[in-house]
Amino acid sequence: MDLPTIPLPEFSPGWVWLVGAGPGDPALLTLAAVHALQSADAVVYDALVDRRILALANENAEQIYAGKRGGRPSRKQPDISARLVQLARAGHRVLRLKGGDPFVFGRGGEEALALVAAGVPFRIVPGITAAIGGLAYAGIPVTHRDINTAVTFVTGHNITGDVPDDLDWPALARGAPVLVFYMALKHLDEITTRLIDSGRDANEPAAIVASATTSEQQVIETTLGAAAKCAEEVSPPALFVVGEVVRLRAGLDWLGALSGRVLDADPLGLSDARDAG
Amino acid sequence: MDLPTIPLPEFSPGWVWLVGAGPGDPALLTLAAVHALQSADAVVYDALVDRRILALANENAEQIYAGKRGGRPSRKQPDISARLVQLARAGHRVLRLKGGDPFVFGRGGEEALALVAAGVPFRIVPGITAAIGGLAYAGIPVTHRDINTAVTFVTGHNITGDVPDDLDWPALARGAPVLVFYMALKHLDEITTRLIDSGRDANEPAAIVASATTSEQQVIETTLGAAAKCAEEVSPPALFVVGEVVRLRAGLDWLGALSGRVLDADPLGLSDARDAG
């Protein structure tokens, strides 16, 4: 694959680029992210960044693991920020590579403010967030004209590791027909119970999508009420989606179709969907 | 820019790829999108796809405008779906290129179901959605640890062109601390009035971001109560964001910093933010 001329900014020594690596599939990397990988002197990466993506880095680049993952020893956030500052001040081109998008439950804002405090110049490179790109690989659109005009993204646990306690759950439950939770496995029982207690139907379609867009992707179609029992079947990272859009997977599971799944052109049972072609 | 070997799927004749072009900046194209542009025989594109992106298409590809934009004559959705089917059946590699992401208020699901009905094989390639990537170019993160554990994306008008009437506005207003509206300009008065009537504070920070990530990007920092008066200052497409994350722009406007803006390391007035570096 050769690329024609595209205006890409120069990655200058002493700068930090906070870059989203997307949900996993290297094909979903942005041109800016690839450029950063090829230019960086140091790559500070998270647990959720795919090995095939790190393999694109400049072979002279120092690769530094800054992952945080439930149950394992991990670097503390101030340590990571301090390391970014240190590397930049040493004159390196520092690529801070995060799974998904740096500004979607990614703590990119915190790290950037630490750079501002230290006088280190930086750039933000957005990435495809898992809730959108990951669900698309499961054949589940986060919005669909017949179903929803709003979608809410929620983190499954806050900074202390608990289910977020700052949310108005009854309002969350009614505010959007489609809800997508990141890092949902650990507290899936509590999340689903709260949603049902807040008025969502236990029979509503739901899905768990683990390791989205990777070769280990697993999709469990279930209901809001039955989802928590399925949590043991998969490993993190996993998304949890609640809403009628899950039914569209019967028609839109293009990845399954590559392996022979026969798709249903009318997954919602609307007659006019069959007339569109 | 040369690319090392990356596993990219073959774009076979008779297939349709529904591809997100991202918010505008060609640097935010995915590798899969570039591959599709270089391989396609026909590119069916929307109004919001940047010219610099179309310029990356294979020079032999037929470029077909399928845009829809307020007030201008436009193709109807069934016409677009029928055209995709026709092109695929003629043996072309058909790239359906949409601004942002095909599954985020992009009608990608509808077009894909029409392909299923016609027996045309397809693939979905997610793109960076404007609410995330566009706001990042304005220095506004959609989530930030100190502010929100949930964010809601809403379309500013539904299929009939009106403000969505299927929403529970009081729940929407309280369900997430940060709300981002797409295509928000036309009904900004009604949107802001409904949010204030539903209990959001008229003094809450808000911003309008027009032509996000392009050279014409405009950002207006305002409040929920004053935003509607600013709508005339910009042209579509525009995002509207409500929430405390807007205050972070004072620290995170990296694009402004490239032009000399001095950033504030403590935009929320939290003392410990200054200690992080």
Side-chain angles (χ1 to χ4, degrees):
Chain A
M1 180 173 172
D2 295 318
L3 284 183
T5 309
I6 291 174
L8 290 169
E10 191 185 339
F11 197 160
S12 301
W15 280 62
V16 176
W17 284 24
L18 291 146
V19 176
D25 183 351
L28 298 180
L29 279 173
T30 64
L31 296 177
V34 174
H35 172 58
L37 278 159
Q38 294 181 339
S39 309
D41 303 308
V43 180
V44 182
Y45 65 97
D46 278 349
L48 295 182
V49 174
D50 196 283
R51 282 179 178 282
R52 294 169 299 171
I53 288 171
L54 289 172
L56 301 177
N58 177 339
E59 61 182 4
N60 298 318
E62 184 183 4
Q63 297 196 8
I64 301 165
Y65 177 68
K68 287 175 287 186
R69 213 157 179 182
R72 296 197 203 163
S74 66
R75 287 179 174 277
K76 295 235 165 54
Q77 189 63 50
D79 293 344
I80 297 171
S81 297
R83 188 66 187 273
L84 297 177
V85 169
Q86 177 194 41
L87 288 163
R89 284 183 174 161
H92 296 300
R93 300 170 185 85
V94 184
L95 167 53
R96 175 67 174 114
L97 194 62
K98 292 169 169 288
D101 179 272
F103 278 168
V104 181
F105 307 124
R107 309 191 66 172
E110 287 170 75
E111 293 179 13
L113 290 177
L115 298 173
V116 173
V120 172
F122 70 99
R123 173 178 283 270
I124 304 289
V125 179
I128 289 179
T129 195
I132 297 171
L135 290 184
Y137 271 54
I140 302 170
V142 291
T143 75
H144 191 71
R145 182 180 73 143
D146 298 309
I147 294 172
N148 62 321
T149 53
V151 57
T152 300
F153 297 159
V154 194
T155 181
H157 53 79
N158 63 15
I159 191 65
T160 63
D162 298 323
V163 171
D165 53 8
D166 60 338
L167 292 171
D168 178 337
W169 283 82
L172 178 75
R174 289 195 314 275
V178 177
L179 308 173
V180 187
F181 292 80
Y182 290 71
M183 300 173 287
L185 281 189
K186 187 176 169 192
H187 297 302
L188 199 55
D189 197 8
E190 184 172 350
I191 289 168
T192 54
T193 300
R194 286 201 191 199
L195 291 175
I196 293 167
D197 289 349
S198 300
R200 296 290 287 230
D201 186 343
N203 293 314
E204 195 173 350
I208 300 168
V209 183
S211 301
T213 83
T214 74
S215 56
E216 284 84 41
Q217 175 173 303
Q218 274 186 281
V219 184
I220 300 175
E221 288 184 62
T222 179
T223 62
L224 178 56
K229 286 183 204 131
C230 308
E232 286 177 8
E233 297 172 31
V234 296
S235 301
L239 300 157
F240 178 59
V241 54
V242 184
E244 294 294 322
V245 290
V246 172
R247 291 165 59 200
L248 290 163
R249 176 167 151 82
L252 300 178
D253 180 18
W254 57 272
L255 206 54
L258 289 174
S259 307
R261 177 172 183 173
V262 177
L263 300 180
D264 176 0
D266 189 17
L268 300 179
L270 307 169
S271 59
D272 62 348
R274 293 198 184 276
D275 300 332
Chain B
M1 180 173 174
D2 296 317
L3 284 183
T5 308
I6 290 174
L8 290 169
E10 190 184 340
F11 197 160
S12 301
W15 281 63
V16 176
W17 283 24
L18 292 148
V19 177
D25 183 350
L28 298 181
L29 278 173
T30 64
L31 296 178
V34 174
H35 172 59
L37 278 159
Q38 293 181 338
S39 309
D41 303 307
V43 180
V44 182
Y45 66 96
D46 279 349
L48 295 181
V49 175
D50 196 285
R51 283 179 178 282
R52 292 169 300 170
I53 288 171
L54 288 172
L56 301 178
N58 177 339
E59 62 183 1
N60 298 317
E62 185 184 3
Q63 297 196 7
I64 301 165
Y65 176 69
K68 288 174 288 188
R69 214 157 178 182
R72 296 195 202 163
S74 66
R75 286 178 176 275
K76 295 236 163 55
Q77 189 64 48
D79 294 345
I80 297 170
S81 297
R83 188 68 187 271
L84 297 177
V85 169
Q86 177 193 40
L87 289 162
R89 285 183 173 161
H92 296 300
R93 299 171 186 85
V94 185
L95 168 54
R96 176 69 175 112
L97 195 61
K98 292 168 168 290
D101 178 89
F103 279 168
V104 180
F105 307 123
R107 307 191 67 173
E110 288 170 74
E111 292 179 15
L113 290 177
L115 298 173
V116 174
V120 172
F122 69 98
R123 175 178 281 271
I124 305 290
V125 179
I128 289 178
T129 194
I132 297 171
L135 290 185
Y137 272 55
I140 302 171
V142 290
T143 75
H144 191 72
R145 183 180 71 146
D146 297 310
I147 293 171
N148 62 320
T149 53
V151 57
T152 300
F153 297 161
V154 194
T155 181
H157 53 78
N158 63 16
I159 192 65
T160 64
D162 298 323
V163 171
D165 53 9
D166 59 338
L167 292 171
D168 178 338
W169 283 83
L172 179 75
R174 290 195 313 275
V178 177
L179 307 173
V180 187
F181 291 81
Y182 290 72
M183 301 175 285
L185 280 188
K186 188 177 169 192
H187 299 300
L188 199 54
D189 198 9
E190 184 172 349
I191 289 167
T192 53
T193 301
R194 286 202 191 197
L195 291 175
I196 293 167
D197 289 349
S198 300
R200 297 289 290 229
D201 186 342
N203 293 315
E204 197 173 347
I208 300 168
V209 182
S211 300
T213 81
T214 74
S215 56
E216 283 83 42
Q217 175 173 303
Q218 275 186 281
V219 184
I220 301 175
E221 287 184 62
T222 177
T223 62
L224 179 56
K229 286 185 203 132
C230 308
E232 285 177 9
E233 296 172 31
V234 296
S235 302
L239 300 157
F240 178 59
V241 53
V242 184
E244 294 293 324
V245 289
V246 173
R247 292 165 59 200
L248 290 164
R249 177 167 150 81
L252 299 177
D253 180 17
W254 57 273
L255 206 53
L258 291 174
S259 307
R261 178 173 182 172
V262 177
L263 300 180
D264 176 1
D266 189 16
L268 300 179
L270 308 168
S271 58
D272 62 347
R274 294 201 184 275
D275 301 332

